[in-house]
Every structure is written in C-alpha cells, then in structure tokens.
Amino acid sequence: MAMPPLPDSRTEPDGSAVVRVLSYNIRSMRDDRAALARVIRSCAPDLLLVQEAPRFFRWRKHAAWLAAHTGLVVLGGGAPATGPMLFCSLRATVERTEDILLPRTPGLHRRGFATAVVRIGRARVALLSCHLSLRSDERYAQAGMLLDRVRAMDVPYTIVAGDLNERPGGRSFRLLADELQDCWTAQPWGDEYTSTPSDPRQRIDAIFTTRGVGILGCGVPRGLPGLTERDLRAATDHLPVLAALRVPAS
C-alpha cells in the first residue's frame, strides 16, 4: 500500500508555516557525498538538522559544498558545536544562532548543541540539533541539559532533532518524550527504524517538538521522487528522519 504524500511546505493565510524538517547523521561526509546530496534534495527540507557534520580540517569548505549541492544555506554549528549543525532554506529568516558546548567527561568525545531561532511566515521557532553520548549516565545528563536549553531559549515553539544513541525504551529517550512530542509516535509516516541503512532494526534518531506544534507526518522517507534505496545505503550509516510540521503564527 502506497504511503500518503507528506505535505509540501507552505505558509497558511493566518501566517502559520508548514515546514519540512530533516534530521540526518551524515558521518562527517565520509561516504558517498553525491548520494548524500541527492537524498537531502529529494526530501526538500526547509530545515536540516545534522549530526556528525565535518568538524576538523577545512570543515567549513565541506559544509559549504553540502549547502551548495542541496540548495540550502549554513545556519550554524559544525566544529564549534562538536558536530551538530543547522542548515535552512531561503524561506527562513534567521534571528540568532548559538553553539553550546556541554561539559566534558574525561576519555569521552565532547558533545554540544547547535541552536538557532528562525522565522518562517509569521511563525517563530527555535531549533536544536543534538548527538547524545554513547555512555548511559552521560547521555541522561545531556538529555536533561537539552530540556534546560529548550526552556532557556524562551521561544513558544521549538524543534529538537538528533541522534540519541538510544532506543525509545531508554530512560534518556523517555525523558525527552515525556516533555516533548515524539513526532514518529504522534503521526507515523514512512518507516520507523533509522539504523543501519542496510539492515534497519532500531530507532535511535528522532524529531521532537514542544506542545502546540502540529505534526503532519514523520518517519524515514520512502518513495519520494528522486530518492533511491541505493542512495540511502551509500550516503551515510544512518537513515534520515523527515517530518512535516505546522508551526503556529507567533
């Protein structure tokens, strides 16, 4: 049975915005970058929240390449956020960006958040891209810091997306889902599992929103024009998560 199409981007007469949001762990663009660009273009996102963006030698050049080949612009993140990164289409007007470094645990990779506040139509929304720790206790602490950051941004509506390194039954995932809307659970569309592309069997990547954001569909995209299984497998070691959301006018 064919999936219903995911709604296209649009601005409603009341100023609210229907936006397409893509969350994607791109493994530092170490795989087939042409396939990666094709996957992103086929999803036609207004907002792209990346994890494992290039963050070492000439990382800005790699980010600029991805933006140029997907029709997006770089919002923030990358090396200053230790990997999370934000891109947007020209629909978005940027109010502010901020890269947040989280406390370092000796012996573990330092983590961070890439954040921004943008306006689309009369809708004003905060964004946060994250990649949580592989270690359970640190991951749980970071999930709490994420919720603290959402509150501190003081914007009525927020979109959070990332690689949680945890399945929905884990305590860090549950902590986020108790306070935020888990978009897949609220309105499933497409496929559920994001890891690994060759044998998907777990959902460790997710998009969340604060209450009041309308969720029109969310999941791993399948069957979009120009989207092939070969590209999904070749682009990186995660599958993307695509959501259509309605953000009310502020």
Side-chain angles (χ1 to χ4, degrees):
M1 181 177 176
M3 291 184 299
L6 202 65
D8 291 329
S9 305
R10 63 181 185 271
T11 301
E12 305 281 22
D14 65 355
S16 62
V18 173
V19 295
R20 289 167 72 108
V21 178
L22 187 66
S23 180
Y24 209 176
N25 182 321
I26 63 173
R27 206 162 79 120
S28 298
M29 296 173 62
R30 290 182 294 172
D31 300 289
D32 185 336
R33 61 171 55 194
L36 176 67
R38 287 193 294 269
V39 170
I40 293 171
R41 285 199 308 270
S42 70
C43 293
D46 300 292
L47 303 167
L48 170 61
L49 291 80
V50 158
Q51 302 83 47
E52 288 194 42
R55 59 188 181 90
F56 295 115
F57 184 62
R58 293 183 176 174
W59 66 271
R60 290 183 179 85
K61 179 179 178 181
H62 298 306
W65 184 96
L66 188 61
H69 286 78
T70 56
L72 302 173
V73 296
V74 177
L75 250 177
T82 72
M85 198 168 199
L86 303 171
F87 297 76
C88 66
S89 74
L90 295 179
R91 286 187 76 203
T93 299
V94 183
E95 280 193 14
R96 66 179 190 264
T97 66
E98 185 177 5
D99 301 321
I100 310 296
L101 286 176
L102 302 182
R104 183 192 299 276
T105 299
L108 295 180
H109 165 60
R110 192 170 194 180
R111 305 284 174 165
F113 303 144
T115 75
V117 178
V118 302
R119 286 179 285 113
I120 299 177
R122 288 179 47 226
R124 183 168 176 260
V125 62
L127 311 174
L128 187 153
S129 178
C130 67
H131 188 185
L132 301 187
S133 176
L134 289 166
R135 200 169 86 177
S136 176
D137 58 341
E138 185 180 49
R139 184 166 61 244
Y140 187 73
Q142 290 169 353
M145 294 175 208
L146 188 159
L147 294 174
D148 289 343
R149 177 55 51 176
V150 168
R151 299 181 197 107
M153 285 195 286
D154 195 28
V155 176
Y157 307 108
T158 301
I159 299 166
V160 172
D163 176 354
L164 305 185
N165 274 317
E166 186 172 274
R167 300 179 186 187
R171 63 175 185 157
S172 301
F173 201 117
R174 293 199 313 270
L175 180 67
L176 297 178
D178 284 347
E179 184 159 333
L180 305 172
Q181 301 182 98
D182 174 7
C183 294
W184 161 262
T185 300
Q187 195 65 44
W189 171 92
D191 289 345
E192 178 179 7
Y193 298 141
T194 62
S195 178
T196 60
S198 59
D199 185 22
R201 60 178 61 192
Q202 58 181 348
R203 181 163 75 101
I204 60 173
D205 306 85
I207 298 175
F208 298 90
T209 73
T210 49
R211 310 293 172 183
V213 175
I215 302 164
L216 308 179
C218 177
V220 174
R222 300 287 184 186
L224 299 179
L227 183 65
T228 68
E229 289 295 317
R230 182 190 177 282
D231 281 347
L232 285 169
R233 290 191 177 97
T236 177
D237 64 346
H238 285 242
L239 291 169
V241 182
L242 178 64
L245 307 173
R246 179 181 286 109
V247 183
S250 296

